[in-house]
Amino acid sequence: MTAPLPDGFRVEPDPDAKQLTETLWFGGTPARVLRLTEAGRKAWRTLETSPVGSPATGALARRFTDAGLAHPVPPPPEGPPDVTIVVPVHDRAAELARCLGALDGRHPVLVVDDASADPAAIAAVAAGHGAKLVRRATNGGPAAARNTALDHVTTELVAFLDSDCVPSPEWTDRLAAHFADPLLAAVAPRIHPLAPDSWAGRYTRAAGSLDLGDRQARVAPGTRVSYVPTAALVVRRSALETVTRGGAVFDSAMRVGEDVDLVWRLHDAGLRVRYDPSVRVGHEEPTTWRGLLSRRFRYGTSAAPLARRHPGAMAPLVLHPWPAVTVAGLLARAPLVAAAGFAGAVLSMRKTLRAGDILTTGVSRAMGTAVHQTWLGTGRYTTQFAAPALAALLAFGGRHRLAAASLLLGPPLAGWYTRRPGLDPLRYSAAAVADDIAYGAGVWAGCLTHHTAVPLRPRFAWRPLRIDRKERR
């Protein structure tokens, strides 16, 4: 049985969570319905106004936060955290100086020089900011540098921080408060892109690949926030020891994606990882299109090695059968197929809800949203992995040109409407399409290198909704 959330924690309902009735809650990722017993309802009424203070409220708080229906709010810490800040660096003396200068000086700092070409410059910056320096003789990449750092750390908490980051004051202290939960292994802040006021810069500020949004979340594969980067991450050292492989925490064979691999191993070990966007850390972004797209290509190459290590966690597109049939019918201009698919989606969901004694009000609207999301997801998937086929349809597809255009332009235009960036729709859409193509090209390159097609395969989710049928206390 999972340990309850400790006394002193409060819970904050997720904005998308809905209390359907006095006994039923809907929300989370993946979407589910949670049913409360009388004891559960009593515990929730307590949690609405008070922190966890009993085994019953602690168990319910854990259940809600694990499901994504609510998020934990830690109690005020009793004192400063026992944390060491680790900064790996390679040939970035100026960026390192800016990074160390932004720290508040309250915690020890360890700089790992990953065989920089000018070690004296790195050493001077570290000494000037009172940081301890460890130098590697050969360049091994971020994973190897962090592994080296862990051999020199004795504190219970470790804060990894990339040298091109600019942290906010007391960022470690605010994140460290979450470790009052003994099951928490790691917590990440929001990465705020630092980019120039150019076309590429404004696009990056609106849709940076490391910026995971303004909503807190439990981090787990298949959820809204499936990973967090180690550009800025606070971890529990004892938790890292539970997922050590071959004497190392990070997989040094991975130059990209090693942070995703670590987060998923922590999840597989039954530990918790959280994303707290109330804490922000700036991260320097590429200043040119060439730099931006080449980085996206590199990120894409990590999909194949991650699939080798976590095949069940990799799915570029998750399709629910009936909405997928509806979208296929619409794209093929087959209205009868689309109508049959939508009817199947509505009837299937109503059957599922009735089996759980849940009202079916609003099912048609919910299925309309599911069809919309399936269309957007299919568009991004096709742009990333089948851009030449889309281009051919646009040029020679005849009656299928409109369908191809909707797949290509639908997702970026929806993103522009949602984010309202400082770019017009045309430039934003062009940037988003180029971004997706660059990432997809990296995925293809990685698949060819590692001889796997797992990162290219969509997955069908046959259960439209998870309903908790057991009585929970």
Side-chain angles (χ1 to χ4, degrees):
M1 183 175 179
T2 304
L5 203 63
D7 289 358
F9 271 83
R10 293 182 178 270
V11 293
E12 184 177 280
D14 186 80
D16 288 341
K18 294 180 175 61
Q19 187 170 11
L20 303 177
T21 67
E22 189 178 353
T23 61
L24 296 175
W25 280 81
F26 168 79
T29 55
R32 70 188 67 201
V33 173
L34 181 66
R35 192 187 309 273
L36 299 182
T37 62
E38 178 57 38
R41 294 196 296 273
K42 181 179 179 181
W44 177 253
R45 287 193 292 270
T46 300
L47 289 173
E48 286 182 307
T49 58
S50 305
V52 172
S54 68
T57 54
L60 186 66
R62 177 71 73 187
R63 178 71 177 165
F64 266 64
T65 55
D66 278 357
L69 291 163
H71 306 291
V73 180
E78 296 179 356
D82 185 26
V83 58
T84 298
I85 300 173
V86 168
V87 185
V89 64
H90 177 71
D91 291 338
R92 286 176 174 170
E95 290 86 346
L96 177 65
R98 182 182 60 178
C99 175
L100 299 183
L103 298 174
D104 59 19
R106 301 175 63 217
H107 305 291
V109 179
L110 174 63
V111 173
V112 180
D113 181 358
D114 193 23
S116 296
D118 186 359
I122 300 298
V125 171
H129 290 85
K132 179 181 177 181
L133 177 67
V134 174
R135 175 168 167 79
R136 289 176 48 84
T138 58
N139 178 262
R146 296 187 190 107
N147 286 334
T148 297
L150 290 172
D151 292 336
H152 298 268
V153 171
T154 59
T155 55
E156 174 59 6
L157 299 181
V158 183
F160 294 113
L161 184 67
D162 281 0
S163 59
D164 56 354
C165 285
V166 182
S168 57
E170 300 183 351
W171 72 284
T172 51
D173 293 30
R174 293 173 60 190
L175 292 178
H178 287 274
F179 289 94
D181 177 3
L183 289 187
L184 187 76
V187 58
R190 181 177 185 179
I191 302 299
H192 173 64
L194 301 176
D197 191 26
S198 62
W199 181 4
R202 278 181 277 174
Y203 171 75
T204 303
R205 291 202 298 265
S209 55
L210 298 183
D211 187 347
L212 302 176
D214 60 358
R215 294 173 52 188
Q216 58 182 314
R218 179 186 176 186
V219 181
T223 65
R224 178 171 51 82
V225 178
S226 62
Y227 75 97
V228 285
T230 44
L233 183 71
V234 182
V235 299
R236 194 190 301 269
R237 190 163 57 90
S238 57
L240 297 181
E241 294 170 357
T242 67
V243 297
T244 297
R245 290 178 177 174
V249 171
F250 290 92
D251 189 338
S252 57
M254 300 183 69
R255 288 276 182 153
V256 184
E258 79 290 342
D259 42 9
V260 182
D261 171 61
L262 173 65
V263 167
W264 288 354
R265 281 189 282 129
L266 291 170
H267 170 76
D268 291 343
L271 300 169
R272 305 297 187 269
V273 179
R274 300 249 8 132
Y275 172 60
D276 183 354
S278 70
V279 180
R280 292 162 65 98
V281 170
H283 181 264
E284 185 173 336
E285 301 292 332
T287 59
T288 65
W289 281 115
R290 180 177 180 178
L292 176 63
L293 297 180
S294 64
R295 189 182 68 173
R296 286 293 284 158
F297 178 89
R298 290 196 303 274
Y299 286 171
T301 62
S302 69
L306 283 170
R308 287 293 186 105
R309 292 159 174 79
H310 310 274
M314 294 298 298
L317 177 64
V318 178
L319 295 170
H320 294 276
W322 288 117
V325 170
T326 306
V327 170
L330 291 171
L331 293 173
R333 291 188 176 183
L336 292 180
V337 174
F342 189 74
V346 172
L347 293 174
S348 174
M349 181 57 74
R350 284 181 174 171
K351 180 180 179 181
T352 299
L353 293 176
R354 285 172 180 152
D357 297 324
I358 301 169
L359 293 176
T360 59
T361 305
V363 166
S364 295
R365 182 176 180 179
M367 290 302 97
T369 300
V371 169
H372 176 72
Q373 293 300 323
T374 300
W375 166 60
L376 293 178
T378 303
R380 285 205 71 186
Y381 174 86
T382 309
T383 301
Q384 287 177 338
F385 304 120
L390 269 185
L393 282 175
L394 286 170
F396 311 109
R399 64 191 297 266
H400 298 299
R401 284 178 175 170
L402 182 60
S406 75
L407 291 174
L408 182 69
L409 298 177
L413 288 175
W416 175 86
Y417 181 80
T418 301
R419 296 186 174 101
R420 296 302 174 96
L423 287 172
D424 59 82
L426 179 60
R427 285 192 294 171
Y428 180 88
S429 297
V433 169
D435 190 334
D436 279 343
I437 291 175
Y439 176 81
V443 176
W444 273 108
C447 288
L448 292 173
T449 300
H450 293 273
H451 308 291
T452 179
V454 171
L456 305 172
R457 296 173 188 162
R459 185 176 77 231
F460 278 91
W462 300 102
R463 292 180 61 183
L465 180 67
R466 176 178 173 180
I467 298 180
D468 185 354
R469 302 180 189 278
K470 293 183 179 181
E471 293 290 297
R472 298 283 178 177
R473 296 188 179 275

